[in-house]
Amino acid sequence: MSLAEITNGSHEGLRTTASTVPNGRTNGRKSRNVTESLSPPEVALPSPAVSLVIPARNEARNISWVLEQIPDTVTEIILVDGNSTDVTLTTARSCRPDIRVVRQEGIGKGDALRSGFLAATGDIIVMIDADGSMSPQEIGHYLHFLANGYDFVKGSRFIGGGGSLDISKFRSLGNKFLLTVFNTLYDARLTDLCYGFCAFHRRYLEHLSLSATGFEIEAEMVVHAMQAGLRIAEVPSLELPRRDGDSNLRAIRDGIRVLRTVLRDHRAGITGQLVQSIRDRRPASVTTSIGAIAGSA
C-alpha cells in the first residue's frame, strides 16, 4: 500500500494481522496499527526562562521575606541595589546565594528597573518591589497569560480578586484621576495604572523604549506597550502593607510625573484638547497649575 493511501484517509488493510502457521496457531506477533507507528512523537516544549528584577535600596528587613516566596518557575533573580547603606546585599546573598546583584549607577526606581532589564537574560522579565507589598507567589498568574498569547501582563488592585491593604484615600483618588486621563487619551479600559507588578516577554524590551528615572516608569511601560500594539492583560493582585520602613513614594510629586508621562507620550495631539477642556471647567487657580504641568510635559 502506498503512502498516498494513508494520507488520503484509507485505513483499510493498514492493520497487520498475526500470520498463521500450518497448525492453525499464530506466530505470537501482536496486531498493531500502522498509523500509530507513523505518528510523530509528542515533544514537550521547554519552559521559558524567567528573570525576576527587584530594585532595592535599604530593604534589609524586607528582602528576605520576598526572596523566600519566589517560586521555582523563576530561573534568574536580579537584585538592583541603589547604593544601600544597610545590610540589604548581605541578607539577600545569605537567603539566595544564586542571586545576581547589579549596582545601580543612577538614582530612582525607573533607573534601577532599566538597569535590571538590561541585565536580564530570561525569555520573560518580571518586576516586583522589595518591600514585601507584592507577593511573589502571584507570579504564576502572570506567566500563565504570557504563555497563552499575551505580550504584557500587569497587576491590578481594582478588579475581582485584587485589592490593597496599603493605599490611602488620597492616593486612591489620584490613581483614579490618572487612570481616567490614560483611558480617555488611549481609548483603553484598564483598571489600574500606578502599580509596579508587571511581566513581559524580553523580546519586546526595545519596543518599550524606556527612559523614565522615577516611579513614573510604571505608567511609561503601559503607555509604550499600548503604542507598540502589545496584547495587554490585567491580573488581580493584592497589595500588602509595606513590611518595614518608609516608602520613597511621594504622592503629589510622583503623581505629577506620571501625568506628564501620560500626556507627553500621547501621539494623537489630544493633549491640548484635554487641557483646554479642563481649563473650561475648572477655577483659575487650578487651571494655572494644570497649564504648568502640560507646558513642561
Side-chain angles (χ1 to χ4, degrees):
M1 177 168 291
S2 67
L3 182 59
E5 290 179 282
I6 299 175
T7 56
N8 287 337
S10 174
H11 297 284
E12 183 178 355
L14 291 181
R15 184 178 298 275
T16 58
T17 58
S19 58
T20 305
V21 292
N23 59 5
R25 293 180 299 174
T26 64
N27 63 0
R29 289 183 297 177
K30 294 182 179 180
S31 169
R32 65 185 182 91
N33 194 321
V34 176
T35 57
E36 293 179 0
S37 65
L38 293 176
S39 300
E42 294 185 2
V43 179
L45 297 176
S47 299
V50 179
S51 296
L52 179 62
V53 177
I54 310 174
R57 183 175 184 274
N58 295 332
E59 298 287 0
R61 296 183 179 180
N62 302 318
I63 192 63
S64 60
W65 182 88
V66 175
L67 296 177
E68 290 169 356
Q69 305 295 318
I70 296 175
D72 293 338
T73 49
V74 173
T75 55
E76 179 182 53
I77 305 173
I78 298 177
L79 180 70
V80 185
D81 179 56
N83 300 308
S84 296
T85 57
D86 63 3
V87 294
T88 295
L89 294 183
T90 302
T91 303
R93 286 173 172 147
S94 175
C95 184
R96 290 295 300 251
D98 60 335
I99 198 168
R100 287 184 58 199
V101 175
V102 174
R103 299 281 185 173
Q104 181 181 355
E105 296 183 359
I107 58 174
K109 182 178 183 179
D111 181 84
L113 285 172
R114 288 190 290 112
S115 299
F117 294 162
L118 290 176
T121 61
D123 305 300
I124 292 173
I125 297 177
V126 183
M127 54 185 272
I128 196 172
D129 289 349
D131 59 4
S133 62
M134 303 168 182
S135 173
Q137 295 179 354
E138 295 180 357
I139 290 176
H141 303 314
Y142 294 74
L143 300 182
H144 170 78
F145 280 89
L146 290 175
N148 285 276
Y150 288 91
D151 309 312
F152 186 95
V153 183
K154 58 184 297 296
S156 173
R157 299 161 290 180
F158 307 117
I159 56 177
S164 177
L165 304 177
D166 182 62
I167 193 169
S168 65
K169 290 184 179 180
F170 182 73
R171 285 176 51 208
S172 179
L173 289 173
N175 188 76
K176 289 179 180 178
F177 168 73
L178 294 170
L179 180 65
T180 300
V181 172
F182 174 86
N183 283 337
T184 301
L185 289 180
Y186 296 92
D187 192 25
R189 290 178 293 178
L190 298 182
T191 62
D192 203 347
L193 180 64
C194 305
Y195 190 53
F197 201 162
C198 301
F200 57 95
H201 292 286
R202 186 166 65 93
R203 60 177 176 265
Y204 297 124
L205 178 59
E206 182 179 351
H207 298 279
L208 293 179
S209 303
L210 301 176
S211 62
T213 58
F215 284 90
E216 72 276 9
I217 192 172
E218 299 162 359
E220 183 183 52
M221 293 177 69
V222 180
V223 168
H224 290 180
M226 290 280 295
Q227 292 174 333
L230 302 187
R231 292 191 63 193
I232 301 175
E234 285 188 313
V235 298
S237 180
L238 176 62
E239 181 183 32
L240 303 170
R242 180 183 177 88
R243 297 185 64 82
D244 189 85
D246 298 321
S247 172
N248 293 318
L249 176 68
R250 298 295 177 265
I252 296 179
R253 178 199 66 186
D254 294 313
I256 292 175
R257 295 182 69 163
V258 170
L259 180 60
R260 286 175 176 170
T261 298
V262 172
L263 296 179
R264 181 188 63 235
D265 289 350
H266 191 264
R267 297 174 179 171
I270 301 180
T271 298
Q273 299 176 16
L274 175 66
V275 174
Q276 187 62 48
S277 64
I278 295 177
R279 283 175 176 169
D280 293 341
R281 299 178 182 180
R282 301 293 182 185
S285 59
V286 177
T287 57
T288 300
S289 61
I290 293 176
I293 293 173
S296 59

